């Protein structure tokens, strides 16, 4: 991409600045200068900055509040500036999903295959629980096909390395990912309802439900491997 338009834009701002010192001193800027400065400022916001701001909105508010307009306001730029990194909101959510799950550590290759699956599953759940509404973000991003689904591939690879056929390894990955995402959506939705006072505490042990469900999946994988 050519930088010529942006260099010209900078030149225009610098050329106009001499004629607008009085306006700037009074706290105002002509519309053309204001738009130019906003565009230049947006270029300093990296993809990482945008994703970090999106995470902060989820932590402080909810997925319903994560709009391109609000995200731009948090970054101090115009909404159009975000399209420098993401062409639409769905691609932003897909990148956010990959970023959140990118925090999951890959277990050492010398560990038993079923222990590696356990660590990947618990790591995935922990990464989602760290960011409110993130399970819903991941679910929609996976459904759209825009996300890389790298964690699913890591789980399948660990199962396949342990001796399962590729088809069975992918089935185990699907079962684990759907357990983690589905149960975490319930847990995060329930937590939000309780915070808002819509309902009282459920008394559910989500951690226990996850551990029991995961053990059933792993038992099935071990049995399939032996056969």
């Amino acid at each position: 991409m050519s930088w010529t338009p942006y260099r010209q834009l900078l030149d225009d701002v610098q050329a106009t600045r001499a004629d607008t010192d009085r306006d700037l001193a009074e706290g105002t800027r002509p519309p053309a200068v204001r738009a130019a400065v906003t565009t230049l400022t947006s270029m300093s916001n990296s993809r990482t900055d945008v994703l970090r701001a999106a995470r902060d909105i989820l932590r402080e508010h909810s997925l319903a509040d994560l709009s391109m307009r609000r995200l731009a306001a948090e970054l101090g730029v115009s909404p159009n500036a975000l399209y420098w990194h993401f062409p639409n909101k769905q691609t932003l959510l897909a990148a956010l999903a990959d970023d959140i799950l990118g925090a999951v550590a890959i277990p050492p290759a010398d560990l038993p295959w079923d222990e590696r699956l356990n660590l990947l599953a618990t790591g995935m759940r922990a990464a989602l629980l760290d960011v409110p509404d993130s399970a819903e973000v991941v679910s929609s991003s996976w459904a759209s096909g825009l996300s890389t689904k790298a964690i699913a591939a890591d789980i399948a690879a660990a199962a396949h390395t342990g001796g399962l056929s590729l088809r069975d390894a992918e089935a185990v990955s699907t079962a684990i990912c759907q357990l983690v995402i589905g149960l975490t959506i319930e847990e995060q939705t329930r937590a939000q309802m309780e915070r808002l006072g819509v309902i009282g505490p459920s008394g559910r042990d989500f951690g226990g439900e996850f551990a029991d469900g995961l053990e059933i999946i792993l038992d099935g994988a071990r049995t399939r491997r032996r056969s």
Side-chain angles (χ1 to χ4, degrees), residues 1 6 11 52 61 67 70 72 74 86 98-101 111 129 150 152 164 176 187 213 224:
M1 180 178 292
Y6 299 100
D11 291 341
R52 184 184 299 112
H61 304 284
S67 65
R70 180 158 199 163
E74 292 289 331
F86 305 101
D98 289 338
D99 186 57
I100 291 171
L101 292 178
L111 291 177
L129 288 176
L164 289 172
I176 289 177
E187 185 171 359
R224 194 63 171 254

Side-chain angles (χ1 to χ4, degrees), residues 56-208:
D56 290 342
I57 290 175
L58 291 183
R59 286 194 173 102
E60 296 175 13
H61 304 284
S62 69
L63 180 57
D65 298 295
L66 181 53
S67 65
M68 299 297 270
R69 183 174 297 278
R70 180 158 199 163
L71 187 56
E74 292 289 331
L75 291 167
V77 300
S78 69
N80 287 340
L82 296 182
Y83 299 116
W84 175 264
H85 301 291
F86 305 101
N88 50 55
K89 183 178 178 179
Q90 197 58 50
T91 57
L92 166 68
L93 292 179
L96 181 59
D98 289 338
D99 186 57
I100 291 171
L101 292 178
V104 180
I106 304 300
D110 58 352
L111 291 177
W113 68 278
D114 50 353
E115 185 175 344
R116 295 185 70 211
L117 289 179
N118 189 302
L119 289 173
L120 285 167
T122 54
M124 180 181 180
R125 180 171 184 265
L128 293 180
L129 288 176
D130 185 54
V131 184
D133 288 347
S134 60
E136 188 174 345
V137 171
V138 170
S139 179
S140 66
S141 297
W142 284 20
S144 72
L146 295 173
S147 177
T148 64
K149 298 180 67 173
I151 186 66
D154 292 333
I155 293 172
H160 187 49
T161 301
L164 289 172
S165 69
L166 182 58
R167 181 173 181 177
D168 286 349
E170 290 176 344
V172 168
S173 177
T174 297
I176 289 177
C177 289
Q178 292 307 312
L179 168 67
V180 174
I181 294 172
L183 190 60
T184 306
I185 286 178
E186 284 192 48
E187 185 171 359
Q188 291 182 326
T189 301
R190 182 80 195 195
Q192 184 178 31
M193 289 180 175
E194 291 177 9
R195 283 197 304 270
L196 295 174
V198 177
I199 52 177
S202 67
R204 287 179 62 179
D205 178 11
F206 286 100

